[in-house]
Amino acid sequence: MTESAFIIVMVFVAVFGGYVITSLFLLRFPRLLHKKKDIKFKATHISHRGGAGENLENTITAFRHAAEAGTEMFELDCHLTRDGEVVVCHDEDLFRTTGQRVVVSETLYKDLPLLSPHLNLDFNPGHTTVGGTDRRIPLLKEVYDQFPDMPVNIDIKVDSEELIQKVSKLTKNYNRESITVWGNRSTAVTNKCYIENPNIHLLFSLKRVLILLVLFYTGLLPFVPLRESFYEILMPSVVLKPNRFKLRLSRTKRALVRVIDFLLMSRQMFRHLNGRGIQTYLWVLNENDEFERAFALDVTGVMTDFPTRLSQYLSDHPNLQFSIMSCAK
């Protein structure tokens, strides 16, 4: 090797080594470069669709039960009816939840059918939720009226500027911008949410999650500012559990799920995001072993279909709250 080539190699090693050391240092101490996000609440316990395993999903009864069980956030879904009402329901086509071929955007609010008295649970296909007398699809403003202090995580289900505008207006009118989170897996929808009202906390879209992973594994994440405040992702390993999803996956597909799980479930990345004030949630976890793994990864919170079960787990692990708070400092 010539002297000039040796010098080039040494310079490269020095620069690369300095980059690695700086990246690891800022990964551990993110607030040296980034101001911590100012979020007025912290949710350890999030009820998916209001707790769809214990009451009919997205009903006022489900939300009330979850609040009484001790949840700290509702996760819910919004659509827009033909007459411009913002309703809380997951599907645009209501066949799964009502047994009728009704499309929300083509139907007046007063004509929406009642939910079926029994609903299969999406994230526990063998579980059937039995409803009571409350089978009505509620308005978002009803949730805001009845639970004025409860943080709400809103999935804007369709790419509709009118829906985004109306959710924003309702949230602002109810003075809930600081305790509301919104977004969608679609980057286009999430961008529209941010443009419409940057004062409402923003979720990572699917594309942004993938970008975040690339930034993390290349060491660039500590240097990059992030506009989002909430990072919520699926725990991939749950799809391999025979009591959760009866999927017949080939050996190759099961191996792929494990690789994805390994890449996504990084405790170091969760701790870095928490350090920047970005809350991290895993969904949809319904069993104690899933809760245990999630909190061992130092995530902020868990989203569940069974709010009573998660509350019992948290009650049985009183030191967990202190541990979570310590990780966020």
Side-chain angles (χ1 to χ4, degrees), residues 131-251:
T133 57
D134 181 15
R135 293 161 51 201
R136 186 177 58 85
I137 295 173
L139 299 168
L140 178 61
K141 62 183 178 183
E142 292 181 78
V143 178
Y144 283 181
D145 275 327
Q146 297 196 36
F147 308 95
D149 301 317
M150 179 66 72
V152 172
N153 181 325
I154 300 175
D155 189 347
I156 301 292
K157 297 304 293 185
V158 291
D159 187 352
S160 165
E161 292 187 6
E162 183 182 3
L163 173 60
I164 292 170
Q165 290 167 2
K166 289 196 170 185
V167 170
S168 174
K169 184 178 180 180
L170 276 170
T171 303
K172 188 173 182 178
N173 289 346
Y174 278 85
N175 195 29
R176 293 183 52 94
E177 289 170 306
S178 65
I179 59 169
T180 301
V181 188
W182 66 348
N184 182 275
R185 71 178 66 182
S186 161
T187 300
V189 174
T190 304
N191 285 341
K192 289 178 182 179
C193 289
Y194 183 76
I195 292 169
E196 178 64 31
N197 192 337
N199 294 321
I200 300 177
H201 300 299
L202 196 66
L203 294 165
F204 281 83
S205 66
L206 178 58
K207 180 180 178 181
R208 290 284 292 168
V209 168
L210 296 177
I211 291 173
L212 189 78
L213 286 175
V214 172
L215 292 174
F216 174 69
Y217 284 106
T218 57
L220 291 169
L221 180 58
F223 305 100
V224 178
L226 300 169
R227 69 182 183 183
E228 296 90 349
S229 301
F230 288 80
Y231 179 77
E232 57 180 51
I233 56 173
L234 172 74
M235 181 187 283
S237 62
V238 300
V239 305
L240 299 178
K241 298 180 70 173
N243 63 322
R244 290 291 302 274
F245 296 91
K246 294 179 173 59
L247 300 177
R248 295 182 178 179
L249 299 178
S250 66
R251 184 175 299 177

Side-chain angles (χ1 to χ4, degrees), residues 122-133:
D122 282 350
F123 290 90
N124 275 78
H127 177 89
T128 299
T129 301
V130 180
T133 57

Side-chain angles (χ1 to χ4, degrees), residues 12 54 106 158 236 295:
F12 173 79
E54 297 178 5
E106 299 173 358
V158 291
F295 289 120

